[in-house]
Amino acid sequence: MKDTSIEAFHRVKYYGTDQRHRDIILKAMHELNEPATSEVISVRCKLDYHQVARRMPELERLGLVRYNSQIRGRTSSGSTAGKWSLTSSQLMMDI
C-alpha cells in the first residue's frame, strides 16, 4: 500500500468513518428495498462510489449484505455489475 493509502486507512479507523459509512449504506439499502449495484447505492446515500465499494465487503463479512453476481445491473459507464442485497436478518430490521 502507498503511504497515503495507509494514512487514509488509519484516519478512517481513528475517526470511526467506516462505521458511519456502513450505517449510511444500510439505511440507503433499506430505502431502495431491492438489490442494487454499488454505484446505485452510492447515489442514494450520497457517498462517493469508492467509499461504498470499500464498505460492501465489510458488510458482507458481518453478515449484513450479500453479493449476487448472477443479478446484474448497468453502470453509468455502460458495463454491468453484480448487485448487493440485504440479508434476511437485515430486511426484518427497522432503520
Side-chain angles (χ1 to χ4, degrees):
M1 262 197 281
K2 293 183 179 179
D3 288 340
T4 54
S5 297
I6 293 169
E7 290 170 13
F9 170 80
H10 289 294
R11 271 195 313 276
V12 163
K13 293 294 181 193
Y14 180 80
Y15 291 109
T17 307
D18 53 343
Q19 183 58 53
R20 280 197 308 275
H21 286 177
R22 286 192 292 267
D23 293 342
I24 291 167
I25 291 165
L26 288 173
K27 184 175 187 291
M29 290 184 73
H30 274 277
E31 291 169 357
L32 287 166
N33 199 31
E34 64 184 6
T37 64
S38 294
E39 184 178 41
V40 169
I41 296 165
S42 72
V43 170
R44 179 63 181 217
C45 65
K46 297 179 177 65
L47 290 175
D48 180 81
Y49 164 79
H50 298 287
Q51 292 171 314
V52 172
R54 283 181 174 76
R55 300 287 83 81
M56 298 312 289
E58 296 170 7
L59 289 167
E60 185 175 37
R61 281 191 298 277
L62 293 169
L64 304 174
V65 301
R66 68 178 162 274
Y67 181 74
N68 189 332
S69 60
Q70 302 303 310
I71 304 173
R72 310 296 287 178
R74 277 274 167 223
T75 66
S76 60
S77 68
S79 63
T80 61
K83 292 187 175 186
W84 294 93
S85 58
L86 295 169
T87 59
S88 55
S89 62
Q90 272 298 299
L91 285 170
M92 292 187 232
M93 292 191 69
D94 244 352
I95 298 271

